Amino acid sequence: MSEERVPVGTESGGERAVEMPVVQLLTGRGFITGKSGSGKSNTASVVVEELLEAGYPVLIVDTDGEYYGLKEEYELLHAGADEECDIQVGPEHAEKVAELALEQNVPTILDVSGYLDEGAANELLRETARHLFAKEKKLKKPFLLVVEEVHEYIPEGGGMDETGRMLIKVGKRGRKHGLGIVGISQRPADVKKDFITQANWLVWHRLTWDNDTKVVGRIVGGEYGERVAELDAGEAFLQTDWTDGDVRRVRFKRKRTFDAGATPGLDDFERPDLKSVGDGLVDDLQSITEDQQRERERVAELERELAQRDRRIDQLERELESARDVSEAARQMADALSGTAANEPAQTTLPEATMDDELDRLRSENTALEAEIEELHERLDRRTDGRDGSEVDASRSAVADESADTEAAGIAAEIEAASRRSLCTEAQTWAVIEALAERKSATASEVALEVTAPFQHVWTLLLELRGCSCVERRSDGTYTLSSTARDLVLGSADPLAS
């Protein structure tokens, strides 16, 4: 491969063929530029076509969805967000994409044009490049990464994020491992100059903006800065290290495959039949999506079950406390009537021992559930591999919201039941809860005066509300609204509203 060359065009004004060495294309740093319509994307496609024709895979970062036409002749994996892609992928697929492209020699178009979330597209590119770089350190296999609109990732004016820094790392250190990169942009003035000046092959198509032609003048030479605006479509100045820096005026040949990036015209055209990769490759990527979705669904299911068990534990603990209060009240009444403290305490009508056993069982099961949920969360976090985990966080947030809504509905139902068991009307019940919400604590008499309701009615309601998680009775005999009721009931709507 060290002497293998591929044809890309001819020298302008003559018939002499222009060829480029494969090893330099695959492992070096290239830069292709030119204004819209000058031929820069065609040149990039010609280079890619020749490498594919020679049997060398590449990975193309397509920002405008214009490279799928390569599938007219070549079997490429088209991965992105659109349904037209072979497979819809996200950042969690980055390692598998890198593995298929580099280790299994599958030419790949990473189409980031269809992502509504720019952060997800950036993360996918960053993680794919990172995995390519890491794998190349071991494989040391010639491989080319092609990046369209490179100024968006490595801008000259600053503001470069982690994705840009990863691409710069590939440019500076990838070559010694076999990983090359070529950046494509229509505005060289907007691209970080370190990337351009360290490129070992550069293609300058027609440029007309002063800032861009000045870049040509500084890097190639003053005369070329003046002449670059005169180039015809498809023509370019080619500057390469392997020709001792000589600059040639080259007419690049036309790409063979369907030009998906051509400006639409009035003439009808038919989209050609496109080749597809094997179903097995797509299945490998699809399985990652399915596995992650199953794990998220399992987390949501377990967290809902855990919330239900927690509510059951709270209910049993309240019933147990109520039963003990009834038992103590019965004992005290019996003592008062008999005039002696020697009587046996009245037996509770609720099976305390059975309830204790039930509580122990539920707590034990909850511990196991919590451990399983934690393990699933860790597996999902590992899938994000140090990223921000926004999708996982969104899933957890949705589960938390659903759990909170369920808990609020449960408390509202308990309050409604308590209201029916008491002497208070529903309106009086709501007034009592509002009165307690405005105070840190209050006695039953104070609440009755505030809501203008009979003391006996308020007292029976407070007694019933103690049986749910809405009202707590302090040691000084005052009542207070629980934080759960304050957050989940008063924070939304009337709990008694249908």
Side-chain angles (χ1 to χ4, degrees), residues 77-82 85-94 97 109-111 115 120 124 128 285-286 289 391:
L77 174 66
H78 187 196
D82 294 331
C85 297
D86 295 321
I87 181 71
Q88 284 76 52
V89 296
E92 66 273 12
H93 298 89
V97 169
I109 302 170
L110 193 61
D111 189 344
Y115 290 91
L124 174 59
T128 301
L285 288 164
Q286 186 63 38
T289 302
E391 294 180 5

Side-chain angles (χ1 to χ4, degrees), residues 24 49 64 67 70 88 97 112 122 204 235 240 248 255 285 297 307 312 319 353 374 398 419 422 449:
Q24 296 289 353
E49 284 178 349
D64 291 315
Y67 280 87
L70 290 166
Q88 284 76 52
V97 169
V112 297
N122 271 0
W204 306 90
E235 278 192 316
T240 60
R248 291 174 287 175
K255 61 184 293 188
L285 288 164
E297 291 173 354
R312 176 60 177 159
E319 290 178 3
E374 182 64 26
S419 177
S422 74
L449 289 174

Side-chain angles (χ1 to χ4, degrees), residues 233-365:
E235 278 192 316
F237 293 125
L238 175 62
Q239 182 181 17
T240 60
D241 283 356
W242 54 85
T243 54
D244 297 325
D246 290 342
V247 180
R248 291 174 287 175
R249 184 166 177 166
V250 175
R251 178 171 295 279
F252 284 85
K253 62 183 181 178
R254 292 291 300 172
K255 61 184 293 188
R256 293 187 295 272
T257 52
F258 173 61
D259 189 0
T263 303
L266 297 178
D267 295 333
D268 293 333
F269 67 90
E270 293 184 3
R271 174 170 168 159
D273 292 333
L274 304 179
K275 296 180 181 293
S276 297
V277 296
D279 292 338
L281 298 177
V282 176
D283 290 343
D284 285 345
L285 288 164
Q286 186 63 38
S287 66
I288 296 175
T289 302
E290 293 172 351
D291 288 347
Q292 190 169 62
Q293 182 60 32
R294 280 194 294 269
E295 288 184 358
R296 287 177 180 155
E297 291 173 354
R298 179 58 176 160
V299 168
E301 177 186 350
L302 288 175
E303 291 187 337
R304 285 194 294 269
E305 183 178 347
L306 186 60
Q308 292 173 354
R309 290 178 179 276
D310 283 338
R311 288 194 295 274
R312 176 60 177 159
I313 288 174
D314 290 341
Q315 179 184 359
L316 286 173
E317 287 177 338
R318 291 193 300 269
E319 290 178 3
L320 190 57
E321 180 183 0
S322 178
R324 288 169 177 160
D325 288 345
V326 170
S327 178
E328 177 62 18
R331 186 188 65 77
Q332 292 177 1
M333 183 174 292
D335 289 347
L337 291 174
S338 64
T340 175
N343 290 340
E344 290 294 325
Q347 297 298 313
T348 178
T349 59
L350 297 177
E352 296 183 27
T354 302
M355 296 171 97
D356 281 331
D357 291 342
E358 175 73 358
L359 284 171
D360 290 341
R361 183 183 67 80
L362 285 172
R363 290 190 182 108
S364 176
E365 291 179 358

Side-chain angles (χ1 to χ4, degrees), residues 393-408:
D393 291 340
S395 175
R396 294 181 187 172
S397 176
V399 170
D401 290 343
E402 181 180 348
S403 178
D405 290 342
T406 303
E407 190 170 358

